[in-house]
Amino acid sequence: MEPVDHFRGFLKKNGLAFTSARAAILKGIVASRGHFDADALHEQLKRVGESLSCATVYRTLPLFVQSGIIKETLRSKGRARYEPAWGLEHHDHLECVACGRIIEFRDDELERLQDKVCQRHSFRPVEHRLGIRGYCSECGKKGT
Amino acid sequence: MEPVDHFRGFLKKNGLAFTSARAAILKGIVASRGHFDADALHEQLKRVGESLSCATVYRTLPLFVQSGIIKETLRSKGRARYEPAWGLEHHDHLECVACGRIIEFRDDELERLQDKVCQRHSFRPVEHRLGIRGYCSECGKKGT
DNA sequence: GATGAGATTGAGAATCACTCGCAAAATGGA
DNA sequence: TCCATTTTGCGAGTGATTCTCAATCTCATC
Ligand SMILES: [Mn+2]
Ligand SMILES: [Mn+2]
Ligand SMILES: [Zn+2]
Ligand SMILES: [Zn+2]
């Protein structure tokens, strides 16, 4: 199922309208593979000729999160960041503190162990975020 | 070694002064076992009769982080949160999305697996944060 | 396809956590 | 004690995000 169809369904189910602003923002999200923040998304849309108020971008992002089109991920420099999630498998992140690079990884055993921890505490997990900060292979060579 | 001694050493080594404001804030940190944010710390100090400017609290927290007295932890409601770290072992967190409770856990195998992930990517880790959000045992009973 | 109730938008004001600038006060080595 | 250096308080400034509200758009229904 295409993200746009899923999103239309989500909106209808909640009595919300599928507006041109929302269509444009969705296009922007799909176009930008990778992590982004509200401002970057807004800029990209401007570049493509879509001029939306930034309030609209901010207001709309939560709808995309709720519908599962995107996920909120680790925030950076005081800004909330997001990444596409529709049809993509969960993963966690390595963040280079030197160059800012973000490396994605998935480790099934890590996921399994987290579930075990939750069971041990009778905790029903909904989502988790693991961010490991350090030096990527490139920056590791140069630095200390 | 007591935190206050460690902190004095840290300050001296960096040409900084051990002021009464810093002493008071340290006392506040030690007193408040558990997670706290800048505002809560400021309020607590006020309650004990210490009246510091909140700018001073904000300015001082990074010193405690750098010296290893506290750690920054998962932020909540838009505020940076901290927890005592001096002499305490690293751990991660379960956060109840219903009641806000925070459950701490430590899992050595989870830590080991993270190191393996880093090796696999030639990544030198500095710190990591794992936060699992979901329903605690109490809230799990009531809810869906 | 016209209508209207209800949802959405743009623009700017408002929030809120946090940071800055600066003059006055505190610190600590000599 | 003296003074170069650091700190502090206060208020103003930031920057991301949210709110207000009048004007505009959607879409189920006619
Ligand atoms: Mn990612
Ligand atoms: Mn903790
Ligand atoms: Zn790097
Ligand atoms: Zn709970």
Side-chain angles (χ1 to χ4, degrees):
Chain A
M1 196 188 213
E2 289 298 298
V4 61
D5 299 313
H6 172 71
F7 189 54
R8 294 190 94 121
F10 167 83
L11 292 173
K12 185 158 291 178
K13 187 175 4 171
N14 291 87
L16 304 174
F18 182 77
T19 65
S20 54
R22 287 169 184 171
I25 293 175
L26 179 52
K27 256 191 246 174
I29 288 171
V30 173
S32 90
R33 283 180 207 56
H35 294 201
F36 60 89
D37 59 33
D39 188 54
L41 181 54
H42 188 207
E43 289 303 322
Q44 194 208 311
L45 289 170
K46 243 190 259 171
R47 235 173 289 127
V48 187
E50 301 286 350
S51 83
L52 307 178
S53 144
C54 78
T56 299
V57 175
Y58 277 107
R59 272 189 293 235
T60 306
L61 282 168
L63 294 179
F64 286 108
V65 171
Q66 286 164 48
S67 64
I69 299 290
I70 61 178
K71 262 185 186 168
E72 198 181 329
T73 181
L74 276 37
R75 61 175 41 220
S76 152
K77 285 180 290 186
R79 300 142 115 129
R81 278 190 316 184
Y82 303 86
E83 65 183 348
W86 184 249
L88 302 173
E89 152 179 86
H90 163 80
H91 59 259
D92 290 304
H93 299 99
L94 306 177
E95 301 177 78
C96 180
V97 298
C99 70
R101 186 179 322 187
I102 292 183
I103 299 156
E104 310 189 323
F105 71 89
R106 168 170 185 84
D107 187 294
D108 290 315
E109 196 168 351
L110 212 47
E111 303 289 323
R112 207 174 313 129
L113 269 176
Q114 288 178 42
D115 284 338
K116 277 198 352 208
V117 169
C118 290
Q119 279 174 33
R120 203 177 302 147
H121 292 274
S122 308
F123 189 90
R124 184 157 50 82
V126 170
E127 63 124 17
H128 73 260
R129 287 179 214 177
L130 169 59
I132 304 181
R133 294 163 32 84
Y135 294 88
C136 76
S137 53
E138 283 306 302
C139 297
K141 288 177 197 163
K142 311 165 196 162
T144 39
Chain B
M1 196 188 216
E2 289 297 299
V4 62
D5 299 313
H6 171 71
F7 189 54
R8 294 189 94 121
F10 167 84
L11 292 173
K12 185 158 293 178
K13 187 176 3 171
N14 291 88
L16 305 175
F18 183 77
T19 64
S20 54
R22 287 169 184 171
I25 293 175
L26 179 52
K27 256 192 245 174
I29 288 171
V30 173
S32 89
R33 283 181 207 55
H35 295 200
F36 60 88
D37 59 34
D39 189 55
L41 181 54
H42 189 208
E43 288 304 322
Q44 194 209 312
L45 289 169
K46 243 190 258 172
R47 234 173 289 127
V48 186
E50 301 285 351
S51 82
L52 308 178
S53 145
C54 79
T56 299
V57 174
Y58 277 108
R59 272 189 293 235
T60 306
L61 282 168
L63 295 180
F64 286 108
V65 172
Q66 286 163 48
S67 64
I69 300 290
I70 61 178
K71 261 186 187 168
E72 199 182 329
T73 181
L74 276 35
R75 61 175 41 220
S76 155
K77 285 181 289 187
R79 299 142 114 129
R81 279 190 316 186
Y82 303 86
E83 65 183 349
W86 184 248
L88 302 173
E89 153 179 85
H90 164 79
H91 59 259
D92 290 304
H93 300 98
L94 306 178
E95 301 177 79
C96 181
V97 298
C99 71
R101 186 181 320 187
I102 291 183
I103 299 156
E104 310 189 324
F105 71 88
R106 169 171 184 83
D107 187 292
D108 290 315
E109 195 167 352
L110 211 48
E111 303 289 323
R112 206 173 314 128
L113 269 176
Q114 287 178 40
D115 284 338
K116 277 203 336 211
V117 169
C118 290
Q119 280 174 32
R120 205 177 301 148
H121 292 274
S122 308
F123 189 90
R124 183 157 49 83
V126 170
E127 63 123 18
H128 73 261
R129 287 178 215 178
L130 169 59
I132 305 181
R133 294 161 35 83
Y135 294 88
C136 76
S137 53
E138 283 305 303
C139 297
K141 288 177 198 163
K142 310 164 196 161
T144 40

